[in-house]
Structures are given as structure tokens and as C-alpha cells.
Amino acid sequence: HCLTLRAICQREIDYDRRNGYSWKITLLRNYWKSKVKQEWLSGKYSHVHSRSSLPEKSMYPMDADTWGEILEAELER
């Protein structure tokens, strides 16, 4: 699970591991973020017309670099 998660959230996983978090804590800290990030990167929300039409679990606190990755993916579509 951790290696799959790292494929999506490499920067976040590497940061947590460098800061001494165990794999278990790292997984717990990043699991939902990776799910939401993967959905955004896959284009699941590319044709949403307003925030109110987004599913409840489509948002998660992410840093500016992560949202930048998502925006770049959208611009390439």
C-alpha cells in the first residue's frame, strides 16, 4: 500500500519518511490525500461546472505544489 501511495504522493511520502514518521503513520497521514489527488489527476472532475456539483470527498487539504500538478494535468487534457 505504501509503495502504491508513493507513486501518487512521492513528495509527501518522502517528506514524512525523512522526518522520521513510520510507514504506518505515513500511510495514515497520506491515504485520503492520495485518493483525492489520483481522482483529480485522472480527470474525474474535469467537467464539473461548479463547486456544488463536486462530490463531498473530492477535496482535501493539499499544498500549492500538489494543486499545481493537478492544474498542469488539466491544462494538458
Side-chain angles (χ1 to χ4, degrees), residues 15-36:
Y15 175 83
D16 283 358
R17 297 297 295 147
R18 273 193 311 273
N19 285 297
Y21 289 102
S22 69
W23 274 109
K24 180 180 179 182
I25 298 299
T26 299
L27 179 65
L28 292 172
R29 285 173 46 93
N30 293 285
Y31 179 77
W32 282 112
K33 181 187 295 185
S34 74
K35 292 289 187 191
V36 171

Side-chain angles (χ1 to χ4, degrees), residues 1 6 28 44 61 72:
H1 291 294
R6 188 175 182 275
L28 292 172
K44 183 174 182 176
E72 284 180 26

Side-chain angles (χ1 to χ4, degrees), residues 16-77:
D16 283 358
R17 297 297 295 147
R18 273 193 311 273
N19 285 297
Y21 289 102
S22 69
W23 274 109
K24 180 180 179 182
I25 298 299
T26 299
L27 179 65
L28 292 172
R29 285 173 46 93
N30 293 285
Y31 179 77
W32 282 112
K33 181 187 295 185
S34 74
K35 292 289 187 191
V36 171
K37 183 177 177 181
Q38 180 60 34
E39 288 177 348
W40 278 95
L41 289 173
S42 72
K44 183 174 182 176
Y45 307 118
S46 290
H47 302 290
V48 173
H49 299 288
S50 71
R51 178 169 180 350
S52 62
S53 60
L54 284 170
E56 183 179 323
K57 293 191 178 216
S58 63
M59 301 300 286
Y60 194 87
M62 292 187 256
D63 61 19
D65 290 333
T66 300
W67 284 112
E69 288 176 47
I70 292 166
L71 178 58
E72 284 180 26
E74 281 298 314
L75 292 173
E76 290 176 6
R77 282 191 246 291

